[in-house]
Amino acid sequence: MELHDVWFVLIAVLWTGYFFLEGFDFGVGILTKLLARNRPERRVLINTIGPVWDGNEVWLLTAGGATFAAFPEWYATLFSGFYLPLLLILVCLIVRGVAFEYRAKRPEENWQRNWETAIFWTSLLPAFLWGVAFGNIVWGVKIDQRFEYVGDVWDLLNPYALLGGLVTLTLFTFHGAVFTALKTVGDIRARARRLALGVGLVAAVVALAFLLWTQAHSGDGKSLVALIVAVAALGAALVANQLGREGWAFALSGVTIVAAVAMLFLSLFPNVMPSTLNGDWSLTVTNASSSPYTLKIMTWCAAIATPIVLLYQGWTYWVFRKRIGTQHIAPDAAAGAAH
């Protein structure tokens, strides 16, 4: 296996890790409007992801940086062609981070309600737009012989990509619901399980349609295996959720996301961005990659840094592993003076 193939796999792993981790905290952000009935319950939901949401975004930064260094042509075409949707995602992530930090800085109800609304929308929009973006990457876009995107933003809003957006939105919401059931106690835990069932059934329908469409368009034997794993894991997650086995439900919903993302990358390889104008103009792992020397240096850096990142992030999840409920919210926090 050549180094550019290795880095394609590593970038796929980084995006998979990002969607697994950021997926459930996007889902929890969406649930602040769908599940929480009052301010203490919204605070419970925010507290379940409060210690980890910013660490989850490290995977996005690493995936973007690795793409820039390992496949500069891919990075240039992707970020220039998808400029508006990616800018919107970036703005959402910035506002979302500010909302988490600023929400409790003042006790006024309107102040906190506005930031909670910001958390909801800045969780929902990226959850949808990431699916649209990756749908276009897998399906292909208008790339000319200079490897430049020559379409417009409306070309990105095609049926396949929009269906991909619905898949990530529903899967992330389901992932967040089972995470909420895993991390909370009391009535909010029971309601999270009921909501997870409804959202999970919708996710199963749209995900099956999207993955079958992907398989028919550009799949092979390996992607078919990933499709089967994703569908089986999602079905098992729904069963585990109904049985009250929240740990298994969360693990299996994570397997669903991992298998679905793996299928997309398996369907894509050896391309990194197919051209719908001419197959010879597609960006591939070969013509979009950096020099072998650059890839070699990056490999050594990744071998040293990756275990460190995994260790500290795993430690964070271990420290904040206990369940919480409204009884753990101090009265002054429930009244609006939370911090």
Side-chain angles (χ1 to χ4, degrees), residues 193-216:
R193 285 171 50 194
R194 291 196 295 270
L195 181 61
L197 175 62
V199 175
L201 290 174
V202 174
V205 173
V206 294
L208 181 60
F210 178 75
L211 295 179
L212 287 174
W213 196 350
T214 304
Q215 180 67 24

Side-chain angles (χ1 to χ4, degrees), residues 56-301:
N56 294 343
E57 291 188 355
V58 170
W59 290 77
L60 172 61
L61 298 175
T62 308
T67 304
F68 172 77
F71 299 100
E73 287 282 359
W74 185 12
Y75 182 93
T77 303
L78 175 65
F79 280 81
S80 60
F82 293 19
Y83 180 80
L84 286 178
L86 292 179
L87 177 62
L88 181 56
I89 290 174
L90 178 60
V91 171
C92 285
L93 295 180
I94 292 172
V95 174
R96 189 168 182 264
V98 173
F100 280 127
E101 297 298 330
Y102 276 32
R103 176 199 172 275
K105 297 303 182 183
R106 290 172 56 178
E108 292 89 346
E109 183 175 351
N110 285 342
W111 172 271
Q112 295 199 2
R113 185 189 301 115
N114 289 338
W115 285 119
E116 288 164 359
T117 300
I119 290 172
F120 169 76
W121 285 109
T122 57
S123 299
L124 186 148
L125 288 174
F128 176 75
L129 289 174
W130 278 127
V132 174
F134 270 81
N136 279 290
I137 291 173
V138 173
W139 187 264
V141 291
K142 295 179 179 179
I143 299 175
D144 65 13
Q145 66 271 26
R146 297 172 298 173
F147 302 135
E148 294 181 1
Y149 178 70
V150 293
D152 56 38
V153 69
W154 302 111
D155 293 323
L156 303 178
L157 302 179
N158 56 77
Y160 176 81
L162 292 174
L163 181 60
L166 291 177
V167 171
T168 51
L169 176 60
T170 54
L171 274 183
F172 290 173
T173 306
F174 173 69
H175 199 37
V178 294
F179 178 79
T180 299
L182 176 64
K183 288 288 293 179
T184 58
V185 295
D187 182 56
I188 194 170
R189 174 186 177 188
R191 284 188 282 114
R193 285 171 50 194
R194 291 196 295 270
L195 181 61
L197 175 62
V199 175
L201 290 174
V202 174
V205 173
V206 294
L208 181 60
F210 178 75
L211 295 179
L212 287 174
W213 196 350
T214 304
Q215 180 67 24
H217 175 255
S218 55
D220 57 15
K222 294 178 182 178
S223 63
L224 179 60
V225 172
L227 185 156
I228 294 171
V229 171
V231 173
L234 182 53
L238 288 168
V239 172
N241 175 71
Q242 286 301 98
L243 295 176
R245 303 298 296 271
E246 289 101 346
W248 280 105
F250 178 70
L252 288 165
S253 69
V255 171
T256 302
I257 292 173
V258 169
V261 177
M263 182 190 176
L264 295 183
F265 277 95
L266 287 169
S267 301
L268 186 61
F269 186 81
N271 294 319
V272 294
M273 282 190 77
S275 172
T276 57
L277 299 179
N278 188 323
D280 293 334
W281 299 343
S282 297
L283 289 169
T284 69
V285 293
T286 303
N287 63 26
S289 69
S290 293
S291 68
Y293 180 76
T294 300
L295 296 178
K296 184 176 181 180
I297 296 297
M298 289 176 59
T299 303
W300 280 106
C301 293

